Amino acid sequence: MRTPQVVRDPSLPERVTIYEVGPRDGLQNESAVVPLETKAAFLRRLVEAGLPVVEATSFVHPKWVPQLADAADLVDAIAERGLDRVDGRTVPMPVLVPNERGLDRALERGVRHIAIFGSATETFAQRNLNRSLDEQFTMFEPTVRRAREAGMDVRAYISMCFGDPWEGDVPVDQVVSVGKRLFDLGASQLSLGDTIGVGTPGHVAALLAAFNEAGLPNTDLAMHFHDTYGQALSNTQAALRAGVTTFDASAGGLGGCPYAESATGNLATEDLVWMLHGLGIDTGVDLDRLVATSVWMAGQLGRPSPSRVVNALAGG
Ligand code: HMG
Ligand code: MG
């Protein structure tokens, strides 16, 4: 299979961690409920393709996200079948947890890595969490405290960092204030979400600079781009230039958010890998295996992958 010609840019990092969200952010947005066996095979294939972190599912209310209602069974399958183990290494498989009920369910299953998900805007906090902007912290505080006491690693997402479908522009200061409050609860990493894909590179640079100014270095930050307006790779480059080294992406470009209609797929992992490898940046990902996985998944879902790289390499 074709590979990009490598022309290294010495001003960019030498290695990037790709945080794969396809099984969670991708499948939560499918109209069809994907069978557990298909999800398990998807996880296995992603691990075998070299992804270093694979977000597996969500312990949210099953009525809110029926596509992931089998979360407990999937986590059991991961443990029983060793789906997170390959070549002697164990790949972290975080799950989304919004509240203490979700945490209890995760603890019962022996989960080690969770992610909470907050909103930078009032409207999305209401729509996604049934809480006001302030109430979300009341929900997260005991969740994170207890998770940390149990020795779990906690990531914190923040949604609507670059724009909100109901509120329009979102001020950088508002995002930083919410992000800092979330991070200070005890998270190890803050993932800045462009939930509806409206961000542009200058905005990315400004937001990162504002976070740095507020005391959060780029080593504490990850970027989570959706590709709705085709800006995800440009935005990735802006964040790389600023020194960010963790990027969320979804195999084949699956994804969206069921509570934000204008959200389409995440940045496709293949598109990200092609660019990073061309820049001489190491990811540990085997692009051939990943493309084969997304072609297989497209067959399972009955529709082609929206990823440009998947289509270029696999011929549609
Ligand atoms: P609520 O209705 O306010 O919940 O929902 P509640 O606390 O009032 O409890 C009501 C009932 O739900 C109770 O049961 C609870 O036990 C139960 P009852 O006593 O009536 O029998 N319950 C639960 N059951 C199972 N698991 C739970 C749970 N919690 C309560 N965890 C809640 C509040 C947060 C649960 C709800 O709003 C919810 O599940 N929201 C999730 C929405 C979601 O998953 N969105 C997609 C993920 S976010 C995203 O995609 C963005 C991201 O990718 C970044 C980006 O792109 O920006 C991360
Ligand atoms: Mg998302």
Side-chain angles (χ1 to χ4, degrees):
M1 207 179 263
R2 185 185 288 253
T3 54
Q5 182 173 338
V6 178
V7 182
R8 169 119 188 95
D9 178 341
S11 67
L12 299 181
E14 286 177 8
R15 198 179 163 81
V16 152
T17 300
I18 299 181
Y19 184 107
E20 171 63 43
V21 296
R24 192 280 302 171
D25 209 345
L27 299 187
Q28 76 180 9
N29 210 40
E30 283 302 315
S31 46
V33 176
V34 173
L36 185 132
E37 284 309 318
T38 308
K39 290 176 179 172
F42 191 31
L43 292 176
R44 162 70 80 203
R45 294 181 73 132
L46 290 168
V47 166
E48 286 175 353
L51 269 318
V53 189
V54 182
E55 195 167 77
T57 185
S58 295
F59 282 93
V60 296
H61 196 297
K63 285 207 187 104
W64 283 64
V65 183
Q67 295 90 336
L68 305 182
D70 59 359
D73 291 339
L74 186 62
V75 168
D76 284 351
I78 293 169
E80 282 159 17
R81 303 183 205 171
L83 299 176
D84 54 352
R85 285 195 289 280
V86 66
D87 301 335
R89 71 189 166 95
T90 301
V91 172
M93 289 198 169
V95 304
L96 289 198
V97 162
N99 56 10
E100 288 191 87
R101 174 81 188 98
L103 177 67
D104 289 336
R105 292 174 58 207
L107 283 167
E108 274 165 30
R109 263 38 224 196
V111 168
R112 304 301 311 148
H113 303 265
I114 64 163
I116 58 165
F117 48 103
S119 170
T121 67
E122 185 64 47
T123 313
F124 191 62
Q126 297 280 0
R127 287 184 175 249
N128 200 44
L129 295 165
N130 201 24
R131 297 291 180 280
S132 71
L133 190 79
D134 268 330
E135 283 166 354
Q136 67 180 340
F137 297 104
T138 316
M139 184 166 80
F140 294 139
E141 192 280 323
T143 310
V144 177
R145 181 172 34 77
R146 287 184 47 218
R148 301 284 293 130
E149 282 164 12
M152 285 174 159
D153 178 62
V154 182
R155 174 184 234 226
Y157 282 101
I158 174 168
S159 288
M160 303 301 174
C161 291
F162 295 89
D164 172 288
W166 303 279
E167 299 184 19
D169 293 350
V170 181
V172 163
D173 290 354
Q174 183 176 323
V175 178
V176 172
S177 148
V178 170
K180 212 168 158 0
R181 279 176 81 182
L182 279 176
F183 187 77
D184 288 346
L185 291 176
S188 59
Q189 184 175 66
L190 187 62
S191 174
L192 308 181
D194 187 4
T195 320
I196 57 168
V198 291
T200 46
H203 196 166
V204 172
L207 185 65
L208 287 170
F211 268 107
N212 299 162
E213 185 83 1
L216 259 87
N218 290 329
T219 44
D220 289 339
L221 302 172
M223 300 308 300
H224 179 101
F225 293 122
H226 286 256
D227 204 22
T228 323
Y229 288 78
Q231 304 298 300
L233 278 181
S234 305
N235 291 341
T236 299
Q237 229 193 326
L240 274 174
R241 284 205 183 289
V244 173
T245 55
T246 302
F247 291 88
D248 302 358
S250 165
L254 295 169
C257 176
Y259 293 98
E261 263 171 34
S262 35
T264 59
N266 294 77
L267 167 60
T269 313
E270 290 85 351
D271 297 12
L272 176 62
V273 169
W274 181 274
M275 184 182 81
L276 294 176
H277 288 185
L279 285 164
I281 298 173
D282 185 19
T283 66
V285 174
D286 178 334
L287 187 56
D288 290 4
R289 290 181 99 151
L290 184 58
V291 168
T293 298
S294 292
V295 169
W296 165 83
M297 198 58 191
Q300 301 295 313
L301 296 171
R303 60 181 179 78
S305 159
S307 159
R308 304 295 286 266
V309 169
V310 170
N311 285 291
L313 292 179

